[in-house]
Amino acid sequence: MIDLEKFLQLIELAGTPLQNHHAYLMDGTSPRPDMRKDVDLGTCNCCDYFSIINGVVVLIEETQLLRQIEDLKNEYNSLRGTDQNDQMKFVYKYIRQENRLKAYGSMLVLCRLAAVCKDAKDLLGSKKYKFWLVVSGINMTDAEEFEAKRIFDNLKDHLYSDLKSVLGKEMVDDVEIVPSHVFVGKLPTQAPFYQMTL
């Protein structure tokens, strides 16, 4: 039987632990625990963490989204005959597909975890899910921040629609794409020990 508590770790953003903010680590690498491996799923795509916040399962994925967008634009720009609209459609579609896979993979990991860990089964129950994409590495001017918000809103709306259409609106509560400093403000400071949430 798997011990759920071993996955409870300090959340790390850009490699730096957040003091007093814990969540259940899903895709750890040695020596940290790897939930995927413990439930016999190998290295499937999944989110970094999950937590229970206000009675909802929150899947948390950290990303340097703005850097990824620039990298994808540069890569796609090398193809001849592409205009900027086609380029951005490709970039957004790629990012949505990647994060859909992580959300689906996470739900598979949690399903397997609930099957082999009574504490996880009791904790997860029949709760709704939120997907939080946490954007780290942001340091920008007001104009750049305005553009970033426009990008986040575009991706959020489409990703929420994608997840809701497959998983159902009864299961998917919300999708948020937030800068890391906003994310920290949304977290409870108390560790989400399963004994306290049952």
Side-chain angles (χ1 to χ4, degrees):
M1 193 59 90
I2 293 175
D3 178 13
L4 180 61
E5 237 179 309
K6 81 175 187 175
F7 299 108
L8 193 62
Q9 306 279 318
L10 284 172
I11 296 172
E12 290 187 7
L13 294 180
T16 302
L18 300 178
Q19 296 306 313
N20 302 317
H21 295 296
H22 294 77
Y24 296 99
L25 182 65
M26 298 184 77
D27 73 344
T29 54
S30 184
R32 301 174 81 197
D34 185 343
M35 193 180 289
R36 301 166 302 175
K37 183 178 176 184
D38 281 17
V39 298
D40 297 323
L41 285 175
T43 56
C44 69
N45 288 303
C46 76
C47 296
D48 297 317
Y49 303 92
F50 86 88
S51 187
I52 308 295
I53 301 174
N54 298 324
V56 176
V57 179
V58 180
L59 302 173
I60 301 166
E61 173 66 17
E62 182 205 1
T63 179
Q64 292 195 349
L65 182 63
L66 299 178
R67 179 183 292 174
Q68 182 185 22
I69 287 171
E70 284 307 309
D71 290 346
L72 287 168
K73 280 167 62 176
N74 290 336
E75 181 180 330
Y76 192 65
N77 196 38
S78 65
L79 300 176
R80 294 178 185 216
T82 58
D83 64 28
Q84 192 170 10
N85 285 339
D86 288 342
Q87 185 184 60
M88 289 314 296
K89 284 179 188 174
F90 166 80
V91 169
Y92 288 158
K93 182 178 179 182
Y94 180 95
I95 290 169
R96 289 198 320 267
Q97 287 175 337
E98 177 182 65
N99 287 290
R100 273 200 320 261
L101 279 175
K102 289 187 177 186
Y104 300 155
S106 297
M107 297 186 84
L108 177 59
V109 170
L110 293 181
C111 182
R112 291 288 296 263
L113 181 68
V116 296
C117 176
K118 183 183 182 314
D119 294 325
K121 182 178 181 181
D122 294 341
L123 177 66
L124 296 168
S126 57
K127 292 180 171 58
K128 285 194 162 195
Y129 287 77
K130 288 186 179 185
F131 179 70
W132 287 359
L133 198 58
V134 180
V135 183
S136 59
I138 293 181
N139 187 9
M140 59 183 68
T141 66
D142 288 343
E144 290 168 329
E145 194 167 326
F146 177 80
E147 177 63 15
K149 185 179 182 324
R150 190 183 67 76
I151 291 169
F152 296 170
D153 288 346
N154 180 296
L155 286 170
K156 171 191 165 172
D157 292 345
H158 286 91
L159 188 56
Y160 179 55
S161 177
D162 291 347
L163 291 175
K164 196 170 58 171
S165 68
V166 174
L167 301 172
K169 61 183 177 182
E170 298 80 14
M171 183 173 277
V172 180
D173 188 57
D174 197 13
V175 170
E176 293 192 43
I177 301 177
V178 294
S180 54
H181 66 277
V182 174
F183 165 72
V184 172
K186 296 168 78 63
L187 291 171
T189 54
Q190 189 177 40
F193 289 108
Y194 59 83
Q195 293 94 336
M196 295 190 280
T197 56
L198 296 177

